[in-house]
Amino acid sequence: WHGPVFVWSAWESADVRLMLLQQRGRVGDPYAQMVDALAGGHIGAGETAIDGARRELTEEVGLAAEADNFIHRGSSRMERPDGECRRVYQSLLLYPLPLDIGGMQFSDEVDGFVEVDLDGFSDLVHGRCEHLPARARLAHDGGHLRQIDLQRRAVLGYPDEIVDTFRRSLASISSWLRHGAVDSVHFE
């Protein structure tokens, strides 16, 4: 079993629920140029999910986070018919503190950041809309902040089981932001 950890970033500001996503950029990544959780990767030997989350945030986006800043949203097992990691036990965490898109650092894995409305992104992932307005900083564009129209194709290339994890994560995050409590129903 492989043990990846994914860190979603979402918070409420002035009655708007926002998310900060990464645009994948690693050379050879089959999902390059698609959006994803703010950071993610495999938990190292001897690491907890929180340890792995902290390390991945630092490596991928230059964010130093404290262990108590994370909320465990759920864990799930996934078996895939092909690919490098066929048996996965993933941990999904939320970093609920506001982030400044301008303060994030690009890396060899991340060549962009996209700030979206949580509900709008959920609609995009569920196929209820084909695009939504977003703010973005892209490395190939000099890292300047600009408005973009995030297209559904930014998530369509993922396998169904990953899109399902997105859907579950978004429902769980939305529930936590609304009620301030962890609801395990999204990962049962």
Side-chain angles (χ1 to χ4, degrees):
W1 287 92
H2 294 268
V5 61
F6 297 96
V7 181
W8 293 92
S9 169
W11 65 94
E12 191 162 0
S13 175
D15 296 327
V16 176
R17 295 178 310 151
L18 299 171
M19 295 191 81
L20 188 59
L21 306 167
Q22 69 160 263
Q23 179 176 288
R24 298 171 68 127
R26 177 179 275 170
V27 174
D29 181 347
Y31 308 117
Q33 305 308 303
M34 296 176 64
V35 295
D36 202 344
L38 183 59
H42 284 84
I43 299 169
E47 283 186 323
T48 65
I50 298 286
D51 295 336
R54 292 179 70 206
R55 179 181 44 74
E56 290 293 340
L57 276 172
T58 301
E59 290 174 4
E60 292 186 14
V61 303
L63 178 65
E66 298 298 323
D68 61 354
N69 292 146
F70 296 95
I71 298 163
H72 188 265
R73 300 306 314 134
S75 298
S76 65
R77 294 184 197 284
M78 181 175 20
E79 295 196 45
R80 300 185 286 196
D82 54 11
E84 189 175 312
C85 301
R86 293 182 183 190
R87 299 177 83 199
V88 174
Y89 182 76
Q90 59 189 356
S91 296
L92 305 155
L93 303 174
L94 173 63
Y95 184 84
L97 302 177
L99 292 173
D100 175 16
I101 191 171
M104 300 292 101
Q105 297 174 9
F106 301 114
S107 68
D108 65 335
E109 296 182 46
V110 179
D111 70 358
F113 299 97
V114 179
E115 185 182 88
V116 295
D117 172 82
L118 172 65
D119 296 323
F121 187 62
S122 183
D123 286 345
L124 191 78
V125 169
H126 281 86
R128 295 187 290 258
C129 68
E130 291 301 315
H131 56 90
L132 75 145
R135 293 183 343 136
R137 272 186 63 232
L138 308 173
H140 73 270
D141 194 24
H144 301 291
L145 187 60
R146 65 183 178 104
Q147 291 295 124
I148 65 165
D149 196 33
L150 184 65
Q151 300 292 315
R152 188 153 189 263
R153 69 176 170 262
V155 295
L156 279 180
Y158 289 114
D160 291 342
E161 60 269 13
I162 292 176
V163 174
D164 182 59
T165 298
F166 274 35
R167 289 179 181 132
R168 290 170 181 261
S169 295
L170 292 167
S172 174
I173 291 165
S174 182
S175 177
W176 190 87
L177 289 173
R178 281 195 176 111
H179 308 293
V182 174
D183 184 353
S184 61
V185 70
H186 304 292
F187 292 100
E188 291 179 341

